[in-house]
Amino acid sequence: MAKGERKRALKGRAGRMKGGRGSGRASTGSVRLWGRHAVEAALKNPARQHRKLWATREGIDSLDGELPADFPVEYADAADLGRLVARDAPHQGLVLECAALEDVFLDEVMDGDAARPLIVLDQVTDPHNVGAILRSAAAFGAAAIVTQDRHAPPESGVVAKSASGALEVVPWVRVVNLSRALEEMAEAGYWRIGLTGYAEATLAEALPTGPVALVLGAEGAGMRLNIEAHCDALAKLPITRAVESLNVSNAAAIALYAVATRPI
């Protein structure tokens, strides 16, 4: 489509949308994403059903590629966009409302590839951490992240912004029973390694050569005892006594690197 056509503003004002300042909430059944990387990745994802894009002209110009001729775009200034997202959210001139991603099931991601670990998160509820883990999972080729539905954040703009586009490429499996999911991983041939600071073995010592599921708990509380009991081994990262522990997203990134660089 012509550049002039792409920049045609539609009627209405973004500031009058439901949700109001500071809510960041989309309409029922939708997800509102913001920021260039998150929005651009969602626009390129054929699995996404897009509903509307609010943008500044600079935001549109920052996108890689052209929007379809009939794509619903409403131009607004930065202040109007700020009313569509959480307070002080860095929207970078782009706010996209779209349908949530379709559910992904565990048996769809257990391909048994030793180079593509599973990341299992036990009660990691901070959306920034989950987003950062998704980003690391994409960087190191993880097969998926797996969370318990009741103890994980929903798909959201905060997760997507922290994931910097990885939400669109890394499958996110939500299960009802995390212990049962770990049993299914074992049945599929995965070696389940729980990361905890009080383990005796280091991760390098505990890593096998086959497919791996890395299990991480929430900061502070760590893994629940029942989840630990469903691990084949417990391991620690060899950090110094200068810090008590690492942020869970940092620990996940280091563990993924260890899996990616182990001899197979």
Side-chain angles (χ1 to χ4, degrees):
M1 71 190 269
K3 191 171 183 180
E5 294 175 337
R6 186 186 68 175
K7 288 183 174 293
R8 181 174 58 86
L10 304 181
K11 294 180 180 179
R13 292 288 287 172
R16 291 203 291 263
M17 286 299 299
K18 292 181 180 179
R21 178 180 293 280
S23 70
R25 294 175 182 168
S27 56
T28 303
S30 298
V31 176
R32 194 170 291 169
L33 309 179
W34 57 80
R36 183 174 68 83
H37 292 298
V39 169
E40 186 173 276
L43 289 171
K44 290 182 176 181
N45 183 0
R48 280 284 189 191
Q49 294 182 12
H50 309 117
R51 294 179 177 166
K52 189 169 185 178
L53 175 65
W54 295 274
T56 63
R57 297 186 184 279
E58 293 78 13
I60 290 290
D61 288 338
S62 73
L63 291 173
D64 179 23
E66 296 283 321
L67 292 170
D70 59 348
F71 198 90
V73 180
E74 180 170 341
Y75 286 92
D77 59 29
D80 281 333
L81 296 183
R83 297 185 178 96
L84 293 171
V85 299
R87 186 178 295 274
D88 298 326
H91 55 72
Q92 297 177 299
L94 295 163
V95 180
L96 175 69
E97 186 158 303
C98 51
L101 292 168
E102 294 291 329
D103 291 339
V104 181
F105 299 98
L106 187 57
D107 59 357
E108 297 174 338
V109 299
M110 293 191 298
D111 57 12
D113 187 343
R116 304 182 70 232
L118 297 172
I119 306 296
V120 182
L121 303 180
D122 181 30
Q123 296 189 314
V124 178
T125 58
D126 186 327
H128 297 92
N129 280 334
V130 173
I133 291 169
L134 281 164
R135 187 174 185 177
S136 295
F140 292 106
I145 70 166
V146 182
T147 64
Q148 189 171 359
D149 200 23
R150 292 179 301 162
H151 301 293
E155 182 182 340
S156 68
V158 176
V159 172
K161 185 70 171 65
S162 299
S164 193
L167 177 62
E168 309 300 324
V169 296
V170 177
W172 184 351
V173 179
R174 295 175 180 272
V175 299
V176 174
N177 189 317
L178 199 58
S179 298
R180 177 56 191 154
L182 287 166
E183 292 172 2
E184 292 178 20
M185 293 175 199
E187 292 167 2
Y190 283 80
W191 187 254
R192 304 159 301 178
I193 301 178
L195 292 179
T196 177
Y198 61 77
E200 294 185 4
T202 65
L203 179 57
E205 294 167 340
L207 276 175
T209 56
V212 170
L214 298 169
V215 187
L216 298 97
E219 290 184 65
M223 288 178 289
R224 291 171 289 172
L225 292 178
N226 187 45
I227 300 303
E228 282 193 11
H230 281 80
C231 293
D232 299 297
L234 298 178
K236 63 183 178 182
L237 298 176
I239 63 175
T240 69
R241 294 182 179 179
V243 293
E244 181 180 352
S245 64
L246 291 174
N247 174 283
V248 63
S249 63
N250 292 333
I254 294 169
L256 284 165
Y257 173 79
V259 172
T261 56
R262 67 182 163 158
I264 297 179

